[in-house]
Amino acid sequence: MDETILLAHGSGGQMSHGLIEGLFLKYLGNPILAALDDAAVVDPPGASGGGRLAFTTDSYVISPIFFPGGDIGKLAVCGTVNDLAMSGATPIYLSAGFILEEGLPLAELERVVASMAETARAAGVSIVAGDTKVVEHGKADRLFINTAGIGRVPAGLELGNDRVRPGDLILLSGTVGDHGMTIMSQREGLRFSSPLQSDCAPLNGLVTAMLAALLAADDAGWGALHCMRDPTRGGVATVLNEIAARSGVGIEVEEAAIPVREAVRAACELLGLDPLYVANEGKLLAFVSPEGAEPLLAAMRAHADGREAAIIGRVTAEHAGRVALRTVLGARRVLSMLAGEQLPRIC
Amino acid sequence: MDETILLAHGSGGQMSHGLIEGLFLKYLGNPILAALDDAAVVDPPGASGGGRLAFTTDSYVISPIFFPGGDIGKLAVCGTVNDLAMSGATPIYLSAGFILEEGLPLAELERVVASMAETARAAGVSIVAGDTKVVEHGKADRLFINTAGIGRVPAGLELGNDRVRPGDLILLSGTVGDHGMTIMSQREGLRFSSPLQSDCAPLNGLVTAMLAALLAADDAGWGALHCMRDPTRGGVATVLNEIAARSGVGIEVEEAAIPVREAVRAACELLGLDPLYVANEGKLLAFVSPEGAEPLLAAMRAHADGREAAIIGRVTAEHAGRVALRTVLGARRVLSMLAGEQLPRIC
């Protein structure tokens, strides 16, 4: 295999086949992908058990492509797995579309694909469809990855941005800002005494534990859970604003209740950023009616991906469409949606 | 709305929302997409009627993004619809992931998205999930689009690259090379007396007519159809080689039977290209046992997208894994898979 990506790797001919068989199938191989048909033909997820289908897509253009805690391949699997999990779905099948820049070292591509394979195994999903394109040097930036995903939403579970109601409590699964500040520090060449690390992780295991806990609770059940979201681009503040607008409710958040790692806080202060606007890649927000909050919080804290889970606020019928933050100093201010761009190419 | 794409359009914040609501939903809007949840939750295609699920993905990086007969948006819908149709699936849901270069005129994006909407309507599919990323000027080339698609394969229909058998006849739905030579001529600034035009079209209507004809035939049925492929990158020659290798069969093709438009032939001669290696975006190859060939050919010729359909060759048990071409002069030569790259960024 040649040492760098050439335009001919995207030709559809011999070199494309060499790349597919020598690299992609080596790591991602399964009987469905290996058939190399135009489309993967699979059993419909959960056709027998009922339920609906969840379908999502995301492109990943993060720079740098390798960073503490992950890489663009791990991120591309986690991000789409998490979007499915937030809809309540069990992620099952993923597709992967690569756009490669001519001259990309093959060793870097191999490292990324191996990381995708490892993350897919950890999340319990199969990559069953793929595509590779190559563009001239200078017409992309190393590599971009798109993943689309299919999952199964169990019958009886209904979540949505528009289902949040006054009285709901807001749970956050852990610290905020880790991913965004890790990327930012890498780009700026910043060093801190305690190193920053992206929180990039698949959240479907945590969600499974949360749903099981609600089912097992005496007075809750799935009906108590109204919405889940992973606060990626735009951070917690932007997701809260989206929910406030879509559900037509007010939201009140306690700044002191939101866990932030010391190194993240330091990096944010240095760069003049607010951690509530910084991207996360392994955290979720859950909106739940009061009777569900206790079992949900206990289940989250008992899971490796939710140890620092906390109730960070509540939903009100007042100031509909707006998010209010009570600061650590006791002041109250409006937390608006992200305006402009804080950290381009964070995912 | 601003006149060009800014990095802030990819922030996930206010400007992202403006772009989504002001442009994407304006053209592509449907209740599922408009919910703007992390994943689209939909009824599983054909869960009641049985059948399996087809899932596919492709990224589109074509340059130029507008060309006679289409644009990158039309292509992104047709390409994924066609991959689903080749598996025998009825295409139902599409996702769309955009990677935009900072500085892209919004009017160009709008034209592309409007074209996607029109093509999706024509093909009878809904775009239910989307994503937009923006990269700095010079880190992409105008815009790249990924589409993934879901379709339903009816119970009893089994197609695949490895199901072709000696004795099968090979049907081609029309002229070859139109898409590739149109793009090439645009790039090279070539003019011909009869203008070239891409054949970019959704093929699911043609496939539906073909499947209906087989079902209605006295002595055929779906079992007669073994494989369908759309000869995109690498052209007819590359697909035939893939089939020969995957099915372990020999293939014989008659050059004289393959329809090529006069302008395409002229452009190929001028540029020293073989139309059998040039990309198509609205043509299909079907491998069918002899009893199915007549009803299939009649159905194709009766459909607007298959008027020039022809039987171009047959499958043999000899020279397994290789494709032989009998030229118009009566000579016989091996038609190998595309080596190197003929036309980068053709799709």
Side-chain angles (χ1 to χ4, degrees), chain A residues 7-8 10-17 34-45 47 51-61 82-84 86-87 93-99 128-136 138-141 144 146 148-150 153 159-162 228-230 233-234 238 242 246 336-341 344-345 347, chain B residues 7-8 10-17 34-45 47 51-61 82-84 86-87 93-99 128-136 138-141 144 146 148-150 153 159-162 228-230 233-234 238 242 246 336-341 344-345 347:
Chain A
L7 283 173
S11 64
Q14 283 177 14
M15 293 200 55
S16 297
H17 282 78
L36 298 179
D37 285 319
D38 278 344
V41 177
V42 295
D43 289 321
R52 306 183 78 201
L53 202 71
F55 183 34
T56 190
T57 189
D58 258 314
S59 298
Y60 299 87
V61 299
N82 291 350
D83 277 350
L84 291 171
M86 293 308 102
S87 72
Y93 303 118
L94 254 54
S95 66
F98 295 85
I99 297 174
V128 296
D131 176 57
T132 305
K133 294 293 189 309
V134 180
V135 299
E136 306 90 334
K139 299 296 189 185
D141 192 8
F144 302 145
N146 176 285
I150 296 178
V153 185
L159 306 175
N161 287 334
D162 58 351
M228 288 190 289
R229 290 289 304 274
D230 57 334
R233 276 185 295 183
T238 297
E242 285 173 6
R246 297 277 313 166
S336 58
M337 185 174 281
L338 177 65
E341 174 57 294
R345 297 180 61 189
C347 60
Chain B
L7 284 173
S11 65
Q14 282 177 14
M15 292 198 57
S16 297
H17 281 79
L36 298 180
D37 286 319
D38 278 343
V41 177
V42 295
D43 289 320
R52 306 184 76 201
L53 202 71
F55 182 33
T56 190
T57 189
D58 259 312
S59 298
Y60 299 86
V61 298
N82 291 351
D83 278 350
L84 291 172
M86 293 308 102
S87 72
Y93 302 119
L94 255 53
S95 66
F98 295 84
I99 298 175
V128 296
D131 176 57
T132 306
K133 295 292 189 308
V134 180
V135 299
E136 306 89 334
K139 299 296 187 185
D141 192 9
F144 303 144
N146 176 284
I150 296 178
V153 186
L159 306 175
N161 288 333
D162 58 351
M228 287 189 289
R229 289 289 305 274
D230 56 336
R233 276 185 295 182
T238 297
E242 286 174 6
R246 297 277 314 166
S336 57
M337 186 175 278
L338 177 65
E341 172 58 294
R345 299 182 62 190
C347 60

Side-chain angles (χ1 to χ4, degrees), chain B residues 25-173:
Chain B
L25 289 183
K26 175 176 164 190
Y27 291 98
L28 305 176
N30 56 57
I32 303 165
L33 189 64
L36 298 180
D37 286 319
D38 278 343
V41 177
V42 295
D43 289 320
S48 55
R52 306 184 76 201
L53 202 71
F55 182 33
T56 190
T57 189
D58 259 312
S59 298
Y60 299 86
V61 298
I62 193 166
S63 173
I65 60 174
F66 300 104
F67 49 84
D71 57 73
I72 191 171
K74 181 180 180 185
L75 188 64
V77 172
C78 291
T80 291
V81 161
N82 291 351
D83 278 350
L84 291 172
M86 293 308 102
S87 72
T90 304
I92 302 179
Y93 302 119
L94 255 53
S95 66
F98 295 84
I99 298 175
L100 309 178
E101 183 189 13
E102 182 188 17
L104 175 76
L106 269 178
E108 290 193 9
L109 178 61
E110 182 153 10
R111 215 176 127 194
V112 167
V113 174
S115 172
M116 292 182 80
E118 188 187 324
T119 312
R121 258 193 307 275
V125 295
S126 301
I127 297 174
V128 296
D131 176 57
T132 306
K133 295 292 189 308
V134 180
V135 299
E136 306 89 334
H137 183 70
K139 299 296 187 185
D141 192 9
R142 309 187 83 82
L143 81 162
F144 303 144
I145 303 177
N146 176 284
T147 48
I150 296 178
R152 176 181 169 257
V153 186
L157 183 60
E158 302 248 17
L159 306 175
N161 288 333
D162 58 351
R163 305 179 75 91
V164 172
R165 295 289 169 264
D168 283 1
L169 294 172
I170 305 169
L171 279 65
L172 172 64
S173 67

Side-chain angles (χ1 to χ4, degrees), chain A residues 114-236:
Chain A
S115 172
M116 292 181 81
E118 187 188 324
T119 311
R121 259 193 305 276
V125 296
S126 301
I127 298 175
V128 296
D131 176 57
T132 305
K133 294 293 189 309
V134 180
V135 299
E136 306 90 334
H137 182 70
K139 299 296 189 185
D141 192 8
R142 310 187 84 79
L143 81 162
F144 302 145
I145 304 177
N146 176 285
T147 49
I150 296 178
R152 176 180 170 258
V153 185
L157 182 61
E158 301 247 18
L159 306 175
N161 287 334
D162 58 351
R163 303 179 76 92
V164 172
R165 294 289 170 264
D168 283 0
L169 294 172
I170 306 169
L171 279 64
L172 172 64
S173 67
T175 57
V176 299
D178 298 77
H179 176 74
M181 293 323 295
T182 302
I183 302 305
M184 197 61 172
S185 303
Q186 289 286 309
R187 285 196 209 146
E188 304 290 328
L190 302 180
R191 291 278 179 282
F192 297 93
S193 51
S194 54
L196 291 168
Q197 182 164 312
S198 168
D199 57 346
C200 181
L203 291 170
N204 52 331
L206 175 63
V207 169
T208 300
M210 290 165 63
L211 294 178
L214 283 178
L215 267 195
D218 279 343
D219 56 354
W222 285 351
L225 186 60
H226 298 153
C227 180
M228 288 190 289
R229 290 289 304 274
D230 57 334
T232 57
R233 276 185 295 183
V236 166

